[in-house]
Amino acid sequence: MNDQQLLRYSRQIMLPQIDIAGQQKLLNAKILIIGAGGLGSPAAMYLAAAGIGQLSIYDDDQVDLTNLQRQIAHHTPDIGMDKVISTLNTLKKINPEVKVLANKARLQGERLLNEVAAADVVLDCSDNFTTRFAVNRACVTAKTPLVSGAAIRFEGQISVFTPGLHGSPCYNCLYQSDGEELQNCARNGVIAPLTGIVGSIQALEAMKLIVQTGELLVGRLLLLDGLTMEWQTMRFKKNPQCPTCGQVA
Ligand SMILES: [Zn+2]
């Protein structure tokens, strides 16, 4: 680290849990972010500010007026622009040192598996069940840690999956794929700061994974009711019959 980096990250380096060694791990880390919307915006912005070495971002959508109420990486002049480009521009302004890979695509198939295998941590910031289950499958196969978040109406959810660790449950242990289609913001609405809270927690859990400090939300689903401001933790275990990870140790 040079003097500028020591200054830029000084408030983080002074934390004994991070220190110089932890900051160096963050600078060397590669994080894959799937979705540049309500959750992906704050997650990517905090991870860029915190000095993650490389952020690879996937989204196939363009910025729409209805996004701006909560997707804070995008600004009014960005309407019509690819979300990954708008996000790239925002992240470069926050921290030009971070390598940002802007991929305008829906990540799937072999490319999904390759990207997940190349990442130290994956953030699922998508808004549909098909993507969530596919990302989970790839993370189980590649044994890459997954930080999952969701925000709808006034309700937020976050959990962390570490498929490389023995007995660690996966997303499919928690949710069954034959369930109803994930409720989305277009149909149900979402209160703006909730996406910021959930995306920020995803960024924090990703950093803890990289630095290997604290206790992760593994086997725990953190639930926030923004109306009552009550937090709940639901504990869950690996499902031995899980179609995704049941055969994996
Ligand atoms: Zn499972």
Side-chain angles (χ1 to χ4, degrees):
M1 254 180 283
N2 59 38
D3 287 353
Q4 282 297 310
Q5 289 175 312
L6 288 169
L7 263 180
R8 181 186 278 269
Y9 307 117
S10 57
R11 301 305 189 267
Q12 212 158 263
I13 291 170
M14 69 172 61
L15 302 170
Q17 295 87 347
I18 306 290
D19 211 333
I20 301 254
Q23 187 62 48
Q24 195 57 56
K25 285 182 190 170
L26 296 171
L27 289 167
N28 295 340
K30 296 177 178 178
I31 295 184
L32 172 62
I33 301 176
I34 298 167
L39 305 178
S41 287
M45 289 163 75
Y46 271 118
L47 291 173
I52 298 300
Q54 180 183 301
L55 297 174
S56 182
I57 302 167
Y58 275 81
D59 199 301
D60 66 348
D61 208 2
Q62 285 92 35
V63 178
D64 181 84
L65 180 61
T66 60
N67 301 148
L68 299 179
Q69 160 258 10
R70 65 196 179 284
Q71 303 186 12
I72 57 170
H74 318 302
H75 305 109
T76 305
D78 302 330
I79 291 173
M81 189 186 288
D82 290 340
K83 283 187 180 178
V84 288
I85 300 301
S86 167
T87 305
L88 169 90
N89 294 340
T90 298
L91 300 184
K92 283 291 172 191
K93 264 189 262 180
I94 293 173
N95 189 350
E97 291 181 1
V98 176
K99 185 176 175 190
V100 181
L101 305 174
N103 304 284
K104 194 207 172 190
R106 188 168 281 259
L107 188 53
Q108 53 197 1
E110 197 177 337
R111 190 172 179 186
L112 169 62
L113 194 54
N114 291 340
E115 285 281 4
V116 166
D120 297 307
V121 177
V122 176
L123 261 65
D124 187 350
C125 299
S126 70
D127 62 356
N128 66 87
F129 259 140
T130 308
T131 302
R132 286 176 185 275
F133 284 109
V135 169
N136 177 60
R137 266 195 304 278
C139 285
V140 169
T141 303
K143 294 187 164 57
T144 304
L146 170 64
V147 182
S148 185
I152 195 83
R153 296 181 290 258
F154 286 84
E155 302 141 34
Q157 301 189 355
I158 311 100
S159 192
V160 176
F161 307 95
T162 50
L165 299 181
H166 180 75
S168 181
C170 81
Y171 183 82
N172 201 175
C173 295
L174 180 62
Y175 292 107
Q176 309 309 309
S177 52
D178 55 358
E180 59 204 78
E181 180 56 24
L182 195 69
Q183 298 176 322
N184 67 29
C185 297
R187 269 176 283 162
N188 296 274
V190 63
I191 194 81
L194 184 74
T195 54
I197 296 169
V198 172
S200 300
I201 293 175
Q202 287 183 271
L204 175 53
E205 289 296 279
M207 290 174 66
K208 284 161 59 188
L209 272 160
I210 304 271
V211 176
Q212 293 179 296
T213 191
E215 287 175 37
L216 298 160
L217 282 171
V218 173
R220 292 187 287 157
L221 177 67
L222 183 62
L223 299 151
L224 169 63
D225 180 342
L227 276 178
T228 58
M229 216 41 93
E230 294 278 349
W231 293 84
Q232 287 188 349
T233 302
M234 194 193 99
R235 289 177 189 275
F236 60 96
K237 288 194 160 68
K238 182 183 170 90
N239 172 11
Q241 271 84 52
C242 172
T244 303
C245 75
Q247 305 304 314
V248 184

